[in-house]
Amino acid sequence: MRSYWECPKCRALLTRDRLEATAGACPYCDARVGEPAEFVDRDAHPADVEGRGFEPLTVPPTTPAKIATALRLLFEQLPVIAALVLMIRLPGNIAAELIVEREGLGGDPLASIPMKLVVDLFFGPITAAGLIVLLAERMSGRRSTFQDVARAGVEAWWRVFAARVVATFFVLSAGVVFFLVGLPPVIRLLGAIPALILYVYYCLVDEVIVLEHSPILDSRRRSARLVAGRAWRIVAGAGGVILIIGLVSVVVGGLLDDTGLLADPIIRAVADSLLGVLGSLGSIVLFLFYWEAQAESLEDVAYKPALDDDPR
């Protein structure tokens, strides 16, 4: 019995489980490898197949369609995504709001932001990595449990954190140099331009680290290659997501403020955490750009199985 099949387009070696999950299509480039019935494991226990009920997804070509697909994925996978976000964000937000309230700064909406940023800096990579694994499996037509993706997020935490630190160092360095040479203020502001450019080109570092297991120092270059040719579309997608989240934040914040609920630190923490769940829409849009880019790249096999195949 054959153990592997070779994709005729990208030359990836694929297992029976992978091809069964994608109905005979290559999960990397969507090329047809064979008929779905060819890859069905006749000896598989029914429990092994149960939970593979999704149809594999392909990334739409336009940016508005990507945002629409991201919204679909957000609501389709809402229980797992909410659990991933809230397990880090909710306790962190509650702690930050209670500290701010104790210091008498509860009326200042910006007072808790530094503490929340510190929590996200250190623990945000767990959520990001878990979400990427969840989406990668979903695009291939496979279901994932919260336990699986949370475990994958914890395992990838240190590599994502390190890659983010390295990328941030280069982004900040590109802008800081303009503030060190005594240039006029207007010229100094131009220092933000190269920093923003690098920020866009390094925006797929998380996906490269989690799915390609790329070396940390090489992840920036790989991200830049994937972003090349689609940078403006990524900026447009991010802008659309910011608009959606901003509108929802204004409406929800206004309602809570009118009712006086925002005076309660726990309510503020819960509201901010739930908006964080909606904020994962931006990560989903970036993932779709990554999935599209790696499918078009023939230089290597970009996606490696995110979760271990069931050995049964």
Side-chain angles (χ1 to χ4, degrees):
M1 181 182 295
R2 294 175 63 184
S3 300
Y4 297 95
W5 284 259
E6 184 180 46
C7 173
K9 182 178 179 181
C10 68
R11 303 301 180 189
L13 291 179
L14 308 168
T15 64
R16 177 185 297 277
D17 284 344
R18 188 62 59 185
L19 289 167
E20 180 184 357
T22 58
C26 176
Y28 313 126
C29 66
D30 290 329
R32 173 62 57 186
V33 180
E35 294 302 318
E38 182 181 349
F39 308 108
V40 174
D41 187 355
R42 309 298 180 187
D43 299 325
H45 190 277
D48 297 337
V49 182
E50 202 176 285
R52 296 185 187 177
F54 288 128
E55 286 293 328
L57 283 181
T58 56
V59 180
T62 65
T63 299
K66 286 183 176 67
I67 296 176
T69 300
L71 283 167
R72 170 189 169 182
L73 288 169
L74 174 62
F75 288 106
E76 178 190 89
Q77 303 290 325
L78 187 59
V80 180
I81 292 176
L84 277 173
V85 173
L86 295 179
M87 74 173 183
I88 300 295
R89 200 176 184 106
L90 184 57
N93 285 347
I94 290 176
E97 292 295 346
L98 289 177
I99 292 173
V100 166
E101 190 72 16
R102 187 183 63 184
E103 298 295 325
L105 300 174
D108 184 357
L110 303 179
S112 62
I113 289 180
M115 286 181 284
K116 293 176 181 179
L117 289 177
V118 170
V119 172
D120 185 66
L121 171 66
F122 286 100
F123 299 104
I126 297 176
T127 299
L131 179 60
I132 289 168
V133 170
L134 172 68
L135 294 172
E137 293 294 290
R138 170 61 187 92
M139 295 298 287
S140 297
R142 300 165 72 96
R143 294 180 184 271
S144 301
T145 66
F146 166 71
Q147 291 82 358
D148 287 334
V149 296
R151 186 186 308 112
V154 171
E155 291 174 353
W157 170 82
W158 75 270
R159 300 184 72 250
V160 175
F161 174 78
R164 285 184 174 187
V165 169
V166 172
T168 301
F169 170 79
F170 280 93
V171 169
L172 294 180
S173 298
V176 167
V177 67
F178 280 77
F179 292 87
L180 301 177
V181 293
L183 296 175
V186 175
I187 302 299
R188 291 183 184 181
L189 290 177
L190 296 178
I193 295 177
L196 288 174
I197 292 174
L198 286 184
Y199 183 80
V200 172
Y201 274 88
Y202 294 165
C203 68
L204 300 181
V205 162
D206 290 358
E207 286 79 1
V208 170
I209 286 291
V210 175
L211 298 182
E212 302 184 20
H213 308 290
S214 172
I216 292 171
L217 295 179
D218 291 339
S219 60
R220 293 175 297 105
R221 288 186 285 271
R222 172 63 177 166
S223 175
R225 288 198 299 270
L226 292 170
V227 170
R230 49 179 51 84
W232 284 113
R233 285 182 286 155
I234 290 176
V235 171
V241 169
I242 291 172
L243 179 61
I244 293 172
I245 296 174
L247 289 175
V248 174
S249 300
V250 169
V251 172
V252 173
L255 291 175
L256 293 176
D257 193 29
D258 291 341
T259 57
L261 292 175
L262 286 182
D264 188 323
I266 302 299
I267 297 296
R268 291 199 302 269
V270 171
D272 187 50
S273 300
L274 292 177
L275 286 174
V277 175
L278 178 62
S280 62
L281 183 66
S283 299
I284 299 174
V285 169
L286 285 179
F287 173 85
L288 293 176
F289 277 105
Y290 166 81
W291 198 260
E292 176 187 65
Q294 61 88 15
E296 295 176 0
S297 175
L298 299 180
E299 62 187 39
D300 54 23
V301 177
Y303 171 60
K304 299 177 182 179
L307 302 177
D308 291 336
D309 290 328
D310 193 333
R312 290 177 294 176

